[in-house]
Amino acid sequence: MNNLETSDQCRVYLGRHRWAHGQPVRRVELHPMLVERLCLKRLRETGQVYDDVSHTVGVDTGAISRAAFLSPLGKHYGYGLAQWTASARKAALYDLCKQRRVSISDLRTQLDYLCMELSQSFQKVNRVRRETRSIKEASDIVLLKFEAPADAEKQCGKRMSYSQEIYDHYFKKEDRAVGYDKYKVVAIAKAEVGYLEKASGDLKYLYDKTANAGDKNFTKYGYEMHKTYPKTMDYPAYWCDAFVDWCFMTAYGISSARSLLGGEFDDYIGASAQLYKSKGAWHNTPEVGDQVFFKNSARIRHTGLVVDVRDGKIITVEGNTNSGKEIVRNGGAVCVKEYTIGNSRIAGYGRPAYGKSLDFKAHWEHIGDTWYYCAAPGGHARGWKTINGHWYYFAPDGKMLTGLQKIGGKRYYYLMGFGDFEGACCRTDESGALVVWDV
C-alpha cells in the first residue's frame, strides 16, 4: 500500500531492532515490488525495458516466467522487501504467492515469508537480532549471515553507520521517555484478524493465516513466545494470552513488552491479571490499548486487547476465540469482538504503562483481507480520500474499495492486487491505456 513507510506495524515485522537491517533512514520504506537496479539496467541492455511496477505485473501475469524471475539473464538479482537474490529463496517466495493467489509484491505474504525464513532457516540471526543490545552485532549478523552479498565484509562499516542513524532516528532516549504509541499494538492486533489455529506445528504452514487449520493449539504466537520465554510460555497450549503478549513483543520488543505487561510474560491468564493488580494498573473502566480479562463463575478464563471504546461498548481483538457474539475462550481464531461495557463476564482491564500519549500519525491498516486508512485515533477514513497523491474511496464501514465501482452515478476503477498501488483510482491516458490517476 502507499505510505507504508508510516506504518510502524510493518517496520517492526522487518525487525524488532529495525536498525539491524542497516539501511539509511531515507530508505526505511517498504517497497515489496523493488527490483535491483542493476537487474533493470541489464534487462534494458537486451531491449527488455521495465520499472518496478511493470516488472512485477509481468511476473504476476506470466509474461515473465518463473525461471526468468528466479534468474534474470541467468544471473542472481534482488527482489522485494529483503532483496531476495538466491534462486532457491526467490522460488519459495514465488511458490508461496502462487499458493495464496496473490501478487508477488503482496506485502503481507512477503512479511510472512521473511518471518518464516528467520524462524526456520536463520534461527541464529533471528536470536541475535532480537536479543542483542549491540547495534554493530545486529547489523553485522543480518548483513553477513542473512543477506550475505559478495562484498559483505567491505560493507560492514557503512552499514553500521546507517544502523546507528536509524537507531538515533527511531529509538532516541528522549523519545522512549515520552511514552509508547498504543495504536502501534492495536494496529498489529487488527492485522492478525483471520488467523486460524493449526492442526500441527509444521512451520511450513504456521505463518499462513488459514492453511492447515485445526484444533491442536499450534500457532505462530505460541511458537514465538515459547522460543522467547519458555519459562512461562508453554507450547502448544491455550493461546489467547500468548496472542496478546506476541502483539506487544512485536510492537515494542521483548524488554519493553514485558515492562508494559506488568513485568513478565505469562500464558496463565490469572497470573497475567495479577501482574497488573500488583502494579496498581487494574481498572474497571476501559481505554484503547487495555488488556481486557474475562471470567466465568469460578475465575478469569480469557483475555484480549481493547482496540476501540465507543457508544457504551468495547471493541476487542482476541486470540483463540470465534466470531460469535458470546465470550469464547477456545474458538481457534483471531477475531474482532464487541461487548457492552457492563458485561457481567468482564473481570477488569489491565492498563499498560504507555506513558504520555504520542502524536498520532495517519496510517494504513490491513485487517483480514481488507485495507483501511486510519485517519484519526480509532477512526477509519470514509468516502473519497487523497493519500500520497492518489485517489482512494472508502465504504461507509471504512473498507477500501477495489475493482469497478459505481459512486454517485459514475463508474470508477480502483486497481486490484498490484502491491503499492492497490486501491488507487485509475484513468485512461492519451492512448486509452489504464493508468494510476496522479492528483
Side-chain angles (χ1 to χ4, degrees):
M1 294 302 301
N2 292 344
N3 207 28
L4 279 172
E5 64 271 19
T6 66
S7 172
D8 285 315
Q9 173 207 350
C10 295
R11 285 202 195 96
V12 296
Y13 271 111
L14 290 177
R16 294 191 181 95
H17 297 298
R18 287 169 282 193
W19 35 269
H21 292 264
Q23 297 293 334
V25 168
R26 63 183 176 277
R27 290 182 55 198
V28 182
E29 302 171 352
L30 301 185
H31 294 303
M33 60 173 63
L34 183 66
V35 184
E36 185 177 336
R37 290 301 174 253
L38 183 58
C39 177
L40 296 179
K41 179 181 179 181
R42 294 289 181 255
L43 289 171
R44 190 176 297 111
E45 290 170 353
T46 65
Q48 303 176 66
V49 180
Y50 294 105
D51 58 16
D52 293 338
V53 176
S54 58
H55 183 274
T56 297
V57 173
V59 176
D60 289 342
T61 61
I64 297 175
S65 68
R66 182 179 188 273
F69 170 69
L70 302 184
S71 302
L73 304 175
K75 304 290 185 178
H76 292 161
Y77 295 108
Y79 180 82
L81 289 177
Q83 285 294 281
W84 288 282
T85 303
S87 296
R89 295 173 71 181
K90 290 172 75 175
L93 172 64
Y94 182 96
D95 293 343
L96 180 61
C97 290
K98 291 300 181 184
Q99 175 190 333
R100 294 187 178 184
R101 299 181 179 180
V102 297
S103 168
I104 190 69
S105 68
D106 182 70
L107 177 63
R108 171 61 55 184
T109 300
Q110 288 197 18
L111 291 170
D112 285 347
Y113 179 63
L114 179 60
C115 290
M116 289 167 61
E117 281 201 313
L118 288 169
S119 296
Q120 299 173 32
S121 305
F122 298 91
Q123 293 184 8
K124 181 179 179 180
V125 174
N126 202 27
R127 183 175 66 255
V128 172
R129 179 186 64 84
R130 292 166 61 176
E131 297 177 1
T132 184
R133 292 183 178 274
S134 165
I135 297 177
K136 184 179 188 307
E137 184 179 17
S139 178
D140 284 354
I141 197 166
V142 170
L143 176 63
L144 298 174
K145 301 299 184 182
F146 183 75
E147 297 181 45
D151 59 346
E153 294 287 349
K154 295 180 180 179
Q155 292 189 36
C156 284
K158 187 176 183 180
R159 283 295 190 92
M160 171 59 189
S161 67
Y162 290 156
S163 300
Q164 186 67 57
E165 184 183 358
I166 290 174
Y167 180 83
D168 291 343
H169 185 78
Y170 290 110
F171 284 91
K172 292 182 296 185
K173 290 182 178 179
E174 57 265 34
D175 289 341
R176 271 289 168 254
V178 172
Y180 298 86
D181 180 6
K182 66 176 67 177
Y183 291 98
K184 181 187 292 187
V185 71
V186 166
I188 287 171
K190 287 181 176 180
E192 295 302 310
V193 171
Y195 183 91
L196 301 179
E197 179 180 320
K198 309 306 176 186
S200 69
D202 189 340
L203 291 175
K204 180 179 180 182
Y205 303 109
L206 202 62
Y207 288 84
D208 188 292
K209 271 196 172 182
T210 57
N212 194 32
D215 59 358
K216 302 302 182 183
N217 288 314
F218 291 100
T219 67
K220 66 179 183 181
Y221 317 113
Y223 172 73
E224 290 199 9
M225 292 308 304
H226 176 69
K227 287 183 63 177
T228 300
Y229 213 71
K231 177 182 176 181
T232 54
M233 303 300 294
D234 297 329
Y235 181 72
Y238 292 142
W239 51 280
C240 60
D241 208 323
F243 169 72
V244 174
D245 289 358
W246 180 91
C247 289
F248 275 84
M249 185 176 73
T250 302
Y252 311 113
I254 296 172
S255 60
S256 294
R258 288 179 61 193
S259 175
L260 287 167
L261 292 167
E264 196 64 278
F265 293 131
D266 203 315
D267 64 1
Y268 178 58
I269 305 164
S272 291
Q274 187 58 47
L275 287 170
Y276 287 110
K277 293 177 181 178
S278 299
K279 296 286 186 179
W282 186 259
H283 298 268
N284 294 319
T285 55
E287 291 185 5
V288 172
D290 284 355
Q291 184 173 358
V292 58
F293 292 88
F294 302 96
K295 62 184 179 180
N296 60 13
S297 58
R299 59 188 176 89
I300 291 175
R301 298 283 286 173
H302 183 59
T303 189
L305 183 71
V306 178
V307 299
D308 199 4
V309 180
R310 63 172 185 262
D311 302 326
K313 299 178 180 179
I314 60 169
I315 313 301
T316 66
V317 174
E318 301 166 27
N320 206 11
T321 189
N322 64 30
S323 58
K325 294 183 178 180
E326 299 299 317
I327 296 169
V328 178
R329 59 174 292 270
N330 191 27
V334 177
C335 299
V336 176
K337 308 277 281 190
E338 180 180 299
Y339 312 97
T340 59
I341 290 177
N343 190 303
S344 61
R345 289 194 58 191
I346 296 176
Y349 305 89
R351 185 156 302 151
Y354 294 109
K356 183 179 178 180
S357 297
L358 303 179
D359 292 339
F360 175 82
K361 294 181 179 179
H363 58 274
W364 288 98
E365 291 183 356
H366 197 216
I367 305 175
D369 295 324
T370 303
W371 284 102
Y372 300 80
Y373 191 73
C374 195
H380 292 133
R382 268 81 170 173
W384 287 102
K385 185 77 175 176
T386 305
I387 304 169
N388 266 20
H390 304 297
W391 283 108
Y392 296 83
Y393 192 85
F394 299 89
D397 61 359
K399 292 181 180 179
M400 182 192 74
L401 299 185
T402 60
L404 188 63
Q405 303 286 340
K406 189 173 183 179
I407 300 170
K410 297 181 179 180
R411 292 186 181 276
Y412 299 89
Y413 182 79
Y414 302 89
L415 207 58
M416 300 174 63
F418 285 90
D420 285 358
F421 298 102
E422 180 182 355
C425 187
C426 296
R427 63 175 180 82
T428 54
D429 64 13
E430 296 78 7
S431 68
L434 198 63
V435 298
V436 173
W437 192 349
D438 293 322
V439 179

